[in-house]
Amino acid sequence: MISLELNFNLFTSDLSHYFKNQVKVGLFGSGVGLSVVLGFSAAYACYYLISVAKKPILISGGQKFHEFLRDKCPVVSETYYPTFWCWESRVQTLLRPFVTAKPWVKYRNELIRAPDGGQISLDWFDNDDSASHPDQSTRPTVLLLPGLTGTSRESYILHMVQQSRDLGYRCVVFNNRGVSGEKLLTPRTYCAANTEDLEVVIGHVQRTIDKAPLMAAGVSMGG
C-alpha cells in the first residue's frame, strides 16, 4: 500500500513538472501541442473534403434540358468548395452582416408604372465603357432579381453587377415594390408567388433594348 502511494505521488510530481515545462515552451512549441494542432487540422481537412465539398445534384425537367445545362454551364458539374473556415450555411447567415464587401456601382434609376397604377423601381448599370460590347443597342443585358427584401444595394447584387461589368454586359436590377425607398402608390406590395410585376419588367426591358440579348439571374427568392 505504501509502495503504491509513493509511486502515485512520484507520478503526479513528474506529470506536474512536465506540464510546467510545456506551458513555458508554449502550445505550438511543444510536442503534444503541435500534435494536437496537426491532428485537428488533418481531421478537419479530411471531413471538409469528404463530407462538405461535393458536386451539386442537378435536377431538371427533361433529359434534353439536363444535357443543355451540363454542356453550357459546366459549373453545375464541378465540385463546390464552400468557404473553408465557415462552410455551415446557418453560421454563414449569422456572419454575413459582419463580413461583407460592397463594390462601388453607380446606377441609373428608372421608375415604371404597373397596370394597376403602382410603380416599380429599376436600377440600371449601362456599362458604357464596355470594350467587348461597345454598341449599346446590342450589348447583352442581365436582369438581376434580388432575394427576400433585397435591393440593388445588397452586397451579392453589387458583386454580380461587378462580374457582369467585367464580361462587358449591361445590368438592370428589379427592385420589388416598396423595398428600395420608392413610394407605394397602391395598397399592394410584392409577393413571391405573384409574377405580374416581373412580367411587366421583362416586357419593358425588352422594348427598351429590343436588339440586345436578355438574360436573367436570381438569388434565393429571386431565383
Side-chain angles (χ1 to χ4, degrees):
M1 190 71 176
I2 296 177
S3 177
L4 288 175
E5 185 176 351
L6 289 175
N7 289 339
F8 179 76
N9 290 336
L10 182 64
F11 171 74
T12 54
S13 176
D14 292 342
L15 189 63
S16 176
H17 177 71
Y18 172 77
F19 279 121
K20 285 181 180 179
N21 289 334
Q22 292 300 311
V23 171
K24 291 179 181 178
V25 173
L27 178 63
F28 293 98
S30 67
V32 172
L34 185 60
S35 298
V36 170
V37 172
L38 291 177
F40 176 81
S41 300
Y44 186 89
C46 289
Y47 179 79
Y48 177 87
L49 293 174
I50 295 173
S51 301
V52 177
K54 295 180 179 180
K55 290 185 177 181
I57 300 174
L58 181 60
I59 301 174
S60 61
Q63 184 64 26
K64 187 176 181 180
F65 185 52
H66 186 280
E67 293 174 354
F68 171 82
L69 291 175
R70 185 190 60 197
D71 296 339
K72 302 298 182 180
C73 304
V75 69
V76 300
S77 301
E78 298 174 359
T79 301
Y80 173 60
Y81 296 92
T83 306
F84 185 75
W85 54 270
C86 182
W87 45 262
E88 210 279 328
S89 58
R90 285 160 293 193
V91 178
Q92 289 179 345
T93 301
L94 293 174
L95 290 182
R96 194 204 71 83
F98 306 101
V99 184
T100 185
K102 291 188 174 183
W104 184 83
V105 174
K106 185 178 181 179
Y107 289 117
R108 172 176 61 86
N109 183 257
E110 180 184 18
L111 294 175
I112 63 174
R113 284 298 181 98
D116 68 344
Q119 62 180 357
I120 304 169
S121 175
L122 301 179
D123 282 320
W124 292 81
F125 175 74
D126 296 307
N127 200 9
D128 290 330
D129 297 328
S130 174
S132 56
H133 302 282
D135 186 354
Q136 61 88 23
S137 65
T138 59
R139 184 176 302 141
T141 301
V142 184
L143 174 62
L144 298 177
L145 312 176
L148 185 68
T149 74
T151 70
S152 60
R153 297 297 174 183
E154 300 296 332
S155 60
Y156 58 86
I157 292 294
L158 295 173
H159 279 282
M160 294 174 75
V161 173
Q162 185 181 49
Q163 293 179 8
S164 300
R165 176 181 59 193
D166 295 340
L167 294 170
Y169 299 164
R170 176 198 290 114
C171 288
V172 54
V173 185
F174 168 37
N175 298 296
N176 287 291
R177 295 194 193 197
V179 298
S180 61
E182 78 282 3
K183 291 182 179 180
L184 285 174
L185 302 182
T186 66
R188 174 183 172 185
T189 59
Y190 79 94
C191 174
N194 192 321
T195 60
E196 279 106 349
D197 283 356
L198 178 58
E199 292 172 4
V200 171
V201 170
I202 292 175
H204 172 76
V205 173
Q206 287 178 328
R207 288 189 299 271
T208 304
I209 45 172
D210 57 334
K211 296 180 181 179
L214 178 61
M215 300 164 281
V219 175
S220 190
M221 185 199 74

